Amino acid sequence: MPNKTIFAISGSLRAGSFNHNILRFLQKLAPGEIGFTIYDNLAQIPPFDPGLDHESPPESVAELRSFIKHADGIIICTPEYAYGVPGQLKNALDWTVSSGSLVDKPLALITASTGGESAHAALLLILGALSANVLQEATLLIPFIRSKMDLQGNLTDDSTIESLKAAFDALCAEL
Ligand SMILES: Cc1cc2nc3c(=O)[nH]c(=O)nc-3n(C[C@H](O)[C@H](O)[C@H](O)COP(=O)(O)O)c2cc1C
């Protein structure tokens, strides 16, 4: 029975996403005492509306807030789109501002993209605004992700595998 839980969010909605596959890789690393949930409802989060941003928000938002609230640690793993944070991920994060869901939560940030520097930097700012406990040792930018995974979604680059393991260990140590 897990006594700690990690809640993982992929910023990509794409079937076969590299970022989803990274989360599945990390999920397999999780020891038995750590539960690892990969969020699968990002597409259902409605556009952020300050008028609906209260204690009874839309159902999918309430569920997301509850997942975050009950998790001991968070992983965000995302691509970059048009030099920015994928819109649906940013939208979901906007819904967590007023609820304070991420305040002090140990968080690993992984940006796996073609380049990814801009989205990574923007997310560090956003997560700072949300007062998440972004762990420096669990913060990882993986450029050229396409060349580091095979067609079955397995990581093929040893140094990326080692970096991901180190980031995951750093998060687990903070749970
Ligand atoms: C509309 C669009 C815009 C993109 N813009 C960028 C970008 O600005 N920087 C970047 O590093 N990659 C960019 N990419 C490439 C994605 O990061 C790459 O396809 C990545 O693998 C997507 O992540 P996923 O495999 O998890 O879906 C873009 C892809 C799309 C579809």
Side-chain angles (χ1 to χ4, degrees):
M1 186 70 179
N3 54 20
K4 298 284 181 183
T5 57
I6 290 173
F7 181 61
I9 304 171
S10 166
S12 173
L13 303 178
R14 185 173 76 85
S17 150
F18 295 121
N19 284 276
H20 277 281
N21 289 331
I22 288 171
L23 291 178
R24 286 196 197 99
F25 168 81
L26 296 177
Q27 190 175 38
K28 287 190 198 123
L29 294 182
E33 69 271 18
I34 297 181
F36 193 117
T37 299
I38 300 176
Y39 185 49
D40 62 2
N41 218 21
L42 185 66
Q44 305 311 318
I45 299 288
F48 178 65
D49 178 347
L52 301 177
D53 184 19
H54 41 58
E55 278 180 22
S56 300
E59 196 178 329
S60 58
V61 173
E63 181 199 59
L64 172 66
R65 289 177 177 174
S66 174
F67 271 130
I68 294 173
K69 180 179 170 194
H70 292 105
D72 297 290
I74 308 290
I75 301 176
I76 292 177
C77 187
T78 184
E80 172 178 274
Y81 292 149
Y83 293 104
V85 178
Q88 192 64 358
L89 174 61
K90 175 65 165 65
N91 178 60
L93 291 173
D94 287 345
W95 280 107
T96 71
V97 175
S98 71
S99 63
S101 310
L102 281 163
V103 172
D104 293 335
K105 286 280 175 193
L107 188 145
L109 173 63
I110 300 162
T111 306
S113 203
T114 305
E117 295 91 345
S118 302
H120 196 68
L123 274 163
L124 289 172
L125 279 177
I126 293 162
L127 293 166
L130 297 173
S131 299
N133 177 15
V134 182
L135 306 170
Q136 201 182 341
E137 312 76 42
T139 297
L140 190 59
L141 173 63
I142 308 174
F144 309 114
I145 183 60
R146 186 176 293 274
S147 66
K148 296 171 180 170
M149 211 172 257
D150 66 21
L151 291 174
Q152 287 71 44
N154 303 302
L155 287 155
T156 53
D157 180 61
D158 287 342
S159 106
T160 300
I161 290 171
E162 289 314 310
S163 300
L164 280 166
K165 284 181 175 169
F168 188 64
D169 286 348
L171 175 64
C172 290
E174 291 291 323
L175 299 181

